[in-house]
Amino acid sequence: MRTTDFSKAPPQGQATAMFVGATRYRGPLSIVVLSFTWWRMVRDMKRMRGYRWHKVYWEFPFTLGTLAFFEDRDALMRFARTRHHRRLMQWVTDGTRNATGGYIRVYNAEPEGYSNGVWRAEGGGMAHIETFTPLSTESAGPPVRRP
């Protein structure tokens, strides 16, 4: 089930760039004000070439985070340059009036991975792998022993 073909995977499985970020807002009013620009930004993001999928999460009391998947890093970075995203980032980073902290991380997918069943592009349906993926200190992974 090792593969480099993710053509049958859902949109987030086809992505090679992932954005993870979160912002701790000052309070409920900041989140309400955020929504005016945020909805427009999401609309633009969904229309962009290379957008694959996103999900927003909440952490008590005032933290909102985002996981966003793009076809590649260039598509993600093109989104970061959009008008509504720039406006939102300027608003968020304007001292501590609107937000008190945040972070952004960008991850790139390795070209190979795993798939099985309905998402597997090659034959072999639900096939098992014969060896584990090697660690950075190994030239080959050990065999998978079945119970």
Side-chain angles (χ1 to χ4, degrees):
M1 64 190 207
R2 269 192 199 105
T3 188
T4 56
D5 186 350
F6 293 93
S7 60
K8 290 191 177 179
Q12 55 271 50
Q14 295 176 18
T16 64
M18 181 176 91
F19 167 94
V20 178
T23 302
R24 181 170 296 150
Y25 294 94
R26 192 122 187 108
L29 180 60
S30 292
I31 293 174
V32 169
V33 172
L34 159 79
S35 69
F36 296 117
T37 302
W38 188 84
W39 289 110
R40 283 181 242 142
M41 182 189 73
V42 169
R43 182 194 63 216
D44 289 350
M45 179 177 67
K46 287 181 172 183
R47 292 177 179 168
M48 290 189 69
R49 186 172 48 85
Y51 166 81
R52 291 293 179 255
W53 181 86
H54 81 282
K55 189 61 106 177
V56 174
Y57 65 92
W58 171 74
E59 289 184 6
F60 183 82
F62 303 118
T63 299
L64 292 174
T66 303
L67 302 171
F69 294 79
F70 291 83
E71 178 181 354
D72 54 31
R73 186 179 175 92
D74 283 348
L76 190 159
M77 294 304 160
R78 274 193 300 275
F79 165 70
R81 296 176 183 186
T82 62
R83 174 181 51 157
H84 294 303
H85 183 265
R86 287 193 327 264
R87 182 180 296 159
L88 183 64
M89 289 298 96
Q90 289 168 354
W91 179 81
V92 164
T93 59
D94 184 18
T96 57
R97 290 184 318 150
N98 304 309
T100 60
Y103 72 91
I104 291 172
R105 297 287 296 185
V106 175
Y107 297 96
N108 295 306
E110 298 290 333
E112 66 282 331
Y114 300 88
S115 65
N116 62 13
V118 67
W119 294 315
R120 186 162 173 79
E122 302 93 347
M126 299 290 282
H128 291 279
I129 58 172
E130 298 302 319
T131 60
F132 287 104
T133 300
L135 304 177
S136 62
T137 57
E138 300 172 326
S139 59
V144 175
R145 291 185 175 74
R146 313 237 183 267

